[in-house]
Amino acid sequence: MTFKSRMAICLAAVAMPLGFSAQATDLEVTHWWTSGGEAAAVAEFAKAFDATGHKWVDGAIAGSGGTARPIMISRITGGDPMGATQFNHGRQAEELVEAGLMLDLTELAEKEGWKDIVNPPSLLESCTLDGKIYCVPVNIHSWQWLWVSHQAFADAGVAVPTNWDEFVAAAPALEKAGKIPLAMGNQPWQSYGAFGVMAIAVAGLDAWKAVNIDKNTEVAAGPDYAKVFAAAADARKMREGSNVQDWNQATNLVITGKAGGQIMGDWAQGEFQVAGQTAGKDYSCLPGLGVTDVISTGGDAFYFPKNQDPEIEKAQLELASVMMSKEVQVNFNLKKGSLPVRGDVDLAAANDCMQKGLAILAKGNILPDANQTFSPDTQGQIEDLMTEFWSSTEISAEDAQKRYAAIIADAD
């Protein structure tokens, strides 16, 4: 070992928080962040963790959460756990926690006062089971956004829309100009998410809460949601020609002016940033489709599967601490396009779209994410229905609503 290497290790050890081991440990971290913007964001976690003297071993799994989660779960239940793994806020890891396969982070959370700094509290509550904390929330991601290409609307000779009705009204002009009005990838979670955004904008908050929180079948089968399915049927026509698979490919259609807009979560911001585009100049972002100023408080959290090696456990706790630290929260979320879970950080460098999200969060206009209200099984059923509905005109809005209401009736 060279003198320079020895000094680097010594300095890293001095920089470590008290109570953590100076032993350098490789820690495999699995996640599904593989797009350009996502890779830039996750690199901030890796850089900060490596600075402690440990090593982030990247375990990225391409293909989104729907592809990655079964692989992650299989490894954990099969006795081949990674050091840390991503899940969304909510109930995705509930059974793994109940089986005793996840590390208890309560002592660390209490020591660092997570309950006092995580905002909204529902994020930490999603990490809590029987009074114990099992994950570290790292961001707030909201599905409630419509991303609009200024170039596409300029080429079509129409004004950039400020709400969903204006966007729909501009669709014929976009089509005439050779544009795809609505970009959408062909993965189940994308169609499911877009439907959820439309439900709030079209049916209203009260109807959405009745269905998604109270599991009210009458509302799901009633006139408010009939409007949602009718609007989704119109949007289905608007997305014709959007023959891409991944969400970031659909975002790229907006970035390049080939599509008018995309209903997608605020993680799309990372793609616009990587492409060098500026919010308000090259693209617009409409929270709640420009109809309702609201954000959902979904996002990502990291769990730490139990391991027999005490040095790995110490590294796991240090990574959890690093992810919650002020500096890392800022650096990661500015790249990711998401909001920080800490309510005490300075985000003066945030762009116009992130500032909109922060303002809505400050007003308390927030809703839980579907991952927090439905079980994975219920979500899977809805995703299957949405995949069929959005991909084929053979299923009518009326038939889709009946099937949707039946799923809500049995939702857990």
Side-chain angles (χ1 to χ4, degrees):
M1 180 182 293
T2 66
F3 174 78
K4 186 176 180 180
S5 298
R6 288 196 297 270
M7 282 299 296
I9 293 174
C10 289
L11 288 172
V14 170
M16 287 183 187
L18 292 177
F20 290 116
S21 170
Q23 174 86 25
T25 302
D26 289 356
L27 201 67
E28 182 191 9
V29 184
T30 55
H31 59 88
W32 54 82
W33 289 326
T34 57
S35 75
E38 291 172 329
V42 77
E44 293 295 334
F45 279 153
K47 180 171 65 176
F49 184 62
D50 287 352
T52 67
H54 297 301
K55 182 172 178 57
W56 173 291
V57 179
D58 199 70
I61 302 172
S64 79
T67 300
R69 279 189 298 271
I71 297 172
M72 296 166 174
I73 292 170
S74 177
R75 283 191 53 185
I76 295 168
T77 57
D80 180 29
M82 61 295 290
T85 190
Q86 172 193 8
F87 284 103
N88 294 123
H89 297 320
R91 301 174 61 182
Q92 291 175 354
E94 190 173 73
E95 293 182 357
L96 296 173
V97 172
E98 290 174 342
L101 297 173
M102 292 299 187
L103 185 64
D104 182 354
L105 305 178
T106 307
E107 184 177 348
L108 174 65
E110 290 178 347
K111 177 183 176 183
E112 298 188 347
W114 290 3
K115 287 185 178 180
D116 297 323
I117 59 178
V118 173
N119 180 50
S122 60
L123 301 180
L124 198 57
E125 290 168 4
S126 291
C127 288
T128 305
L129 188 67
D130 297 331
K132 295 183 178 181
I133 297 171
Y134 291 94
C135 68
V136 51
V138 297
N139 60 12
I140 303 170
H141 263 319
S142 174
W143 251 106
Q144 307 299 316
W145 297 88
L146 173 63
W147 306 92
V148 179
S149 166
H150 287 197
Q151 178 186 334
F153 282 86
D155 291 347
V158 291
V160 174
T162 61
N163 58 52
W164 178 250
D165 288 341
E166 292 177 2
F167 183 84
V168 173
L174 288 169
E175 291 175 340
K176 186 176 180 180
K179 311 293 182 181
I180 302 166
L182 184 66
M184 182 182 290
N186 291 302
Q187 292 170 320
W189 67 272
Q190 295 183 56
S191 53
Y192 173 39
F195 176 83
V197 176
M198 295 183 69
I200 294 175
V202 176
L205 289 175
D206 289 342
W208 184 91
K209 290 177 181 178
V211 173
N212 289 264
I213 297 176
D214 300 331
K215 315 299 189 293
N216 189 313
T217 308
E218 290 184 6
V219 175
D224 287 332
Y225 262 70
K227 295 177 183 177
V228 178
F229 277 92
D234 290 337
R236 180 171 59 183
K237 298 176 184 176
M238 293 167 61
R239 64 150 290 181
E240 290 179 1
S242 184
N243 298 318
V244 294
Q245 183 72 5
D246 297 331
W247 69 270
N248 53 304
Q249 293 174 318
T251 304
N252 189 61
L253 293 174
V254 180
I255 291 171
T256 56
K258 296 176 181 177
Q262 178 190 23
I263 299 174
M264 184 51 60
D266 49 16
W267 48 90
Q269 284 196 81
E271 302 306 299
F272 286 99
Q273 288 187 84
V274 169
Q277 295 208 337
T278 302
K281 176 185 176 184
D282 301 303
Y283 66 97
S284 291
C285 50
L286 305 181
L289 303 188
V291 178
T292 304
D293 271 353
V294 64
I295 61 172
S296 53
T297 51
D300 305 287
F302 278 82
Y303 289 77
F304 302 84
K306 284 186 177 179
N307 194 291
Q308 299 302 313
D309 187 336
E311 293 302 326
I312 288 181
E313 182 173 320
K314 290 176 182 178
Q316 289 174 316
L317 293 171
E318 187 156 7
L319 177 56
S321 180
V322 164
M323 287 177 162
M324 186 60 76
S325 67
K326 278 189 176 183
E327 182 180 3
V328 175
Q329 274 285 299
V330 171
N331 294 341
F332 169 77
N333 284 293
L334 285 177
K335 293 282 180 66
K336 191 69 168 65
S338 48
L339 305 181
V341 299
R342 292 188 66 131
D344 59 351
V345 296
D346 181 10
L347 282 173
N351 68 19
D352 289 349
C353 292
M354 188 178 287
Q355 293 292 357
K356 285 183 181 181
L358 289 168
I360 294 171
L361 180 63
K363 293 177 183 177
N365 295 345
I366 58 176
L367 291 171
D369 185 75
N371 289 307
Q372 297 166 293
T373 62
F374 290 134
S375 70
D377 179 64
T378 298
Q379 288 190 74
Q381 293 179 56
I382 299 174
E383 285 185 358
D384 289 344
L385 172 61
M386 291 300 154
T387 299
E388 183 180 348
F389 175 75
W390 284 90
S391 62
S392 173
T393 57
E394 291 184 4
I395 173 173
S396 68
E398 293 77 13
D399 288 343
Q401 184 181 8
K402 289 178 183 178
R403 290 169 58 180
Y404 178 76
I407 294 172
I408 298 302
D410 293 330
D412 55 359

